[in-house]
mmCIF file of all heavy atoms in Angstrom:
data_model
loop_
_atom_site.group_PDB
_atom_site.id
_atom_site.type_symbol
_atom_site.label_atom_id
_atom_site.label_comp_id
_atom_site.label_asym_id
_atom_site.label_seq_id
_atom_site.Cartn_x
_atom_site.Cartn_y
_atom_site.Cartn_z
ATOM 1 N N PRO G 311 21.590 15.251 -4.468
ATOM 2 C CA PRO G 311 22.586 14.646 -3.516
ATOM 3 C C PRO G 311 22.333 13.257 -3.083
ATOM 4 O O PRO G 311 23.012 12.661 -2.291
ATOM 5 C CB PRO G 311 22.507 15.601 -2.400
ATOM 6 C CG PRO G 311 21.144 16.159 -2.315
ATOM 7 C CD PRO G 311 20.654 16.150 -3.835
ATOM 8 N N ILE G 312 21.232 12.671 -3.614
ATOM 9 C CA ILE G 312 20.868 11.354 -3.226
ATOM 10 C C ILE G 312 20.346 10.594 -4.471
ATOM 11 O O ILE G 312 19.833 11.037 -5.282
ATOM 12 C CB ILE G 312 19.651 11.537 -2.272
ATOM 13 C CG1 ILE G 312 19.145 10.033 -1.785
ATOM 14 C CG2 ILE G 312 18.493 12.194 -2.862
ATOM 15 C CD1 ILE G 312 18.132 10.111 -0.783
ATOM 16 N N TYR G 313 20.669 9.315 -4.374
ATOM 17 C CA TYR G 313 20.296 8.306 -5.412
ATOM 18 C C TYR G 313 19.686 7.172 -4.783
ATOM 19 O O TYR G 313 20.288 6.591 -3.899
ATOM 20 C CB TYR G 313 21.485 7.864 -6.249
ATOM 21 C CG TYR G 313 20.909 7.165 -7.576
ATOM 22 C CD1 TYR G 313 20.582 7.858 -8.555
ATOM 23 C CD2 TYR G 313 21.019 5.712 -7.650
ATOM 24 C CE1 TYR G 313 20.057 7.097 -9.764
ATOM 25 C CE2 TYR G 313 20.737 5.068 -8.706
ATOM 26 C CZ TYR G 313 19.957 5.874 -9.782
ATOM 27 O OH TYR G 313 19.615 5.093 -10.833
ATOM 28 N N CYS G 314 18.415 6.773 -5.198
ATOM 29 C CA CYS G 314 17.762 5.711 -4.476
ATOM 30 C C CYS G 314 17.619 4.533 -5.584
ATOM 31 O O CYS G 314 16.850 4.802 -6.680
ATOM 32 C CB CYS G 314 16.391 6.105 -4.023
ATOM 33 S SG CYS G 314 15.578 4.942 -3.115
ATOM 34 N N ASP G 315 18.051 3.395 -5.292
ATOM 35 C CA ASP G 315 17.767 2.256 -6.238
ATOM 36 C C ASP G 315 17.392 1.102 -5.417
ATOM 37 O O ASP G 315 18.148 0.239 -4.961
ATOM 38 C CB ASP G 315 19.062 1.900 -6.942
ATOM 39 C CG ASP G 315 18.838 0.806 -7.922
ATOM 40 O OD1 ASP G 315 17.816 0.307 -8.121
ATOM 41 O OD2 ASP G 315 19.943 0.338 -8.506
ATOM 42 N N ASN G 316 16.071 0.972 -5.009
ATOM 43 C CA ASN G 316 15.548 -0.052 -4.192
ATOM 44 C C ASN G 316 15.652 -1.509 -4.932
ATOM 45 O O ASN G 316 15.457 -2.444 -4.208
ATOM 46 C CB ASN G 316 14.042 0.263 -3.855
ATOM 47 C CG ASN G 316 13.956 1.587 -2.990
ATOM 48 O OD1 ASN G 316 14.871 1.725 -2.106
ATOM 49 N ND2 ASN G 316 13.017 2.325 -3.265
ATOM 50 N N ARG G 317 15.874 -1.582 -6.149
ATOM 51 C CA ARG G 317 15.952 -2.798 -6.738
ATOM 52 C C ARG G 317 17.125 -3.616 -6.151
ATOM 53 O O ARG G 317 17.013 -4.904 -6.161
ATOM 54 C CB ARG G 317 16.405 -2.601 -8.260
ATOM 55 C CG ARG G 317 15.214 -1.985 -9.034
ATOM 56 C CD ARG G 317 15.712 -1.875 -10.449
ATOM 57 N NE ARG G 317 14.508 -1.307 -11.456
ATOM 58 C CZ ARG G 317 14.477 0.047 -11.484
ATOM 59 N NH1 ARG G 317 15.168 0.896 -10.828
ATOM 60 N NH2 ARG G 317 13.507 0.491 -12.379
ATOM 61 N N LYS G 318 18.120 -2.859 -5.659
ATOM 62 C CA LYS G 318 19.223 -3.649 -4.960
ATOM 63 C C LYS G 318 18.805 -4.499 -3.677
ATOM 64 O O LYS G 318 19.389 -5.666 -3.527
ATOM 65 C CB LYS G 318 20.322 -2.786 -4.457
ATOM 66 C CG LYS G 318 21.078 -2.173 -5.617
ATOM 67 C CD LYS G 318 22.439 -1.380 -5.050
ATOM 68 C CE LYS G 318 23.325 -0.978 -6.143
ATOM 69 N NZ LYS G 318 24.536 -0.312 -5.588
ATOM 70 N N ALA G 319 17.655 -4.136 -3.160
ATOM 71 C CA ALA G 319 17.262 -4.909 -1.972
ATOM 72 C C ALA G 319 16.709 -6.267 -2.405
ATOM 73 O O ALA G 319 16.686 -7.243 -1.583
ATOM 74 C CB ALA G 319 16.063 -4.079 -1.296
ATOM 75 N N LEU G 320 16.417 -6.439 -3.642
ATOM 76 C CA LEU G 320 15.854 -7.809 -4.169
ATOM 77 C C LEU G 320 17.013 -8.874 -4.060
ATOM 78 O O LEU G 320 16.703 -10.031 -4.034
ATOM 79 C CB LEU G 320 15.415 -7.614 -5.520
ATOM 80 C CG LEU G 320 14.194 -6.764 -5.769
ATOM 81 C CD1 LEU G 320 13.958 -6.516 -7.244
ATOM 82 C CD2 LEU G 320 12.825 -7.368 -5.249
ATOM 83 N N SER G 321 18.260 -8.275 -4.031
ATOM 84 C CA SER G 321 19.431 -9.365 -4.145
ATOM 85 C C SER G 321 19.858 -9.715 -2.774
ATOM 86 O O SER G 321 20.706 -10.470 -2.551
ATOM 87 C CB SER G 321 20.449 -8.635 -4.859
ATOM 88 O OG SER G 321 20.264 -8.301 -6.027
ATOM 89 N N PHE G 322 19.166 -9.173 -1.607
ATOM 90 C CA PHE G 322 19.603 -9.436 -0.238
ATOM 91 C C PHE G 322 18.267 -10.129 0.448
ATOM 92 O O PHE G 322 17.335 -9.383 0.882
ATOM 93 C CB PHE G 322 19.995 -8.254 0.486
ATOM 94 C CG PHE G 322 21.215 -7.611 -0.028
ATOM 95 C CD1 PHE G 322 21.164 -6.746 -1.194
ATOM 96 C CD2 PHE G 322 22.384 -7.874 0.422
ATOM 97 C CE1 PHE G 322 22.248 -6.298 -1.683
ATOM 98 C CE2 PHE G 322 23.603 -7.362 -0.048
ATOM 99 C CZ PHE G 322 23.605 -6.501 -1.176
ATOM 100 N N PRO G 323 18.218 -11.414 0.537
ATOM 101 C CA PRO G 323 17.139 -12.083 0.973
ATOM 102 C C PRO G 323 16.443 -11.676 2.417
ATOM 103 O O PRO G 323 15.288 -11.483 2.423
ATOM 104 C CB PRO G 323 17.535 -13.620 1.061
ATOM 105 C CG PRO G 323 18.626 -13.670 0.088
ATOM 106 C CD PRO G 323 19.437 -12.405 0.106
#
Side-chain angles (χ1 to χ4, degrees):
I312 179 174
Y313 190 79
C314 184
D315 182 8
N316 294 321
R317 294 176 180 86
K318 284 192 173 182
L320 296 169
S321 302
F322 295 84

